[in-house]
Amino acid sequence: MQRVFEALASTTRRKILAYLSKAELTAGEIAARFEISKPAVSQHLSVLENAGLVTSEKRGQYVHYRLVEDNLANTLNGYLQEVCPVSRPLKVESAAKAARLDDG
Amino acid sequence: MQRVFEALASTTRRKILAYLSKAELTAGEIAARFEISKPAVSQHLSVLENAGLVTSEKRGQYVHYRLVEDNLANTLNGYLQEVCPVSRPLKVESAAKAARLDDG
DNA sequence: CTATTAATTAAGGCATGACTTAATTACCTA
DNA sequence: TAGGTAATTAAGTCATGCCTTAATTAATAG
């Protein structure tokens, strides 16, 4: 929980997650999308992995990273339920679908 | 967005939000719940207020703080939609209700 | 007006986070 | 096995964050 919010506090790390939400990428492919050094990106990936937000798999010479969607969704939604009324997140997040389902 | 995630990166600040989710409190009442100094708590409140997660109102000698639920819920859910498939958060957050509605 | 309480601002210390370059590890290919 | 690429680890710098105590502002009570 603490690690997840710390990981999300960095814009660079949130961008990495955004990239990984579209496709699995190697460390090098991720680094190429930023202007900071490769070791710096590697450190960010390490933070994200320690928070359980991404996982890595080494295939040959490359390390492939992918998003762990469940952990992100569960942590944020869990926190939201804790602090906000249960009904609100549902409405905010997919108001259209909820409305449709509630009406039907 | 950046400010919200920075604000949430601190355990102390998340605890403050948790207290405020139960009741409106004065700065002093909040400070009394922590072991750190009152100025330290004041700084945390300032961070939360700059992030738009709480608002304050001075009444006489006291400053009352309360949670801004909408901003917290909208920011986290908005981010979640951006990074995770739209359908997932709904399932995670209220699986029972979603299942019931989907089945019915 | 003076004293007291609530709260914030100011100033400074210390730990932590983010970045850099250089070195190292691991894997692939000629 | 020597050389090259991918990636991480190591070491050190610089900025930022969180905490402290002391000073200040603002409101209430005598």
Side-chain angles (χ1 to χ4, degrees), chain B residues 8-43:
Chain B
L8 294 175
S10 153
T11 301
T12 298
R13 286 192 290 266
R14 289 199 307 278
K15 280 185 187 170
I16 292 175
L17 294 180
Y19 284 129
L20 291 178
S21 74
K22 305 269 185 277
E24 179 177 308
L25 295 170
T26 68
E29 288 170 335
I30 296 167
R33 287 162 166 75
F34 295 91
E35 296 194 339
I36 60 179
S37 71
K38 211 168 162 178
V41 172
S42 193
Q43 285 178 0

Side-chain angles (χ1 to χ4, degrees), chain A residues 2 5 8-9 11 14 17 21 67 69-70 72-74 77 79-81 83 85 88-90 92-93 97, chain B residues 2 5 8-9 11 14 17 21 67 69-70 72-74 77 79-81 83 85 88-90 92-93 97:
Chain A
Q2 172 60 22
F5 279 112
L8 293 176
T11 301
R14 289 199 306 280
L17 294 180
S21 74
L67 189 63
E69 290 183 357
D70 282 357
L72 184 56
N74 285 330
N77 279 303
Y79 176 71
L80 216 39
Q81 279 184 23
V83 175
R88 182 170 303 284
L90 176 61
V92 171
E93 131 201 321
K97 180 174 183 183
Chain B
Q2 174 58 22
F5 279 111
L8 294 175
T11 301
R14 289 199 307 278
L17 294 180
S21 74
L67 189 63
E69 290 183 357
D70 281 357
L72 184 56
N74 285 332
N77 280 304
Y79 176 70
L80 216 39
Q81 279 184 26
V83 175
R88 182 170 302 286
L90 176 61
V92 171
E93 128 201 322
K97 180 174 184 184

Side-chain angles (χ1 to χ4, degrees), chain A residues 3 6 9 13 23 27-28 32 45-46 60 72 79 89 97-98 103:
Chain A
R3 284 184 182 175
E6 270 175 10
R13 286 192 291 265
L45 288 169
S46 169
L72 184 56
Y79 176 71
K97 180 174 183 183
D103 291 348

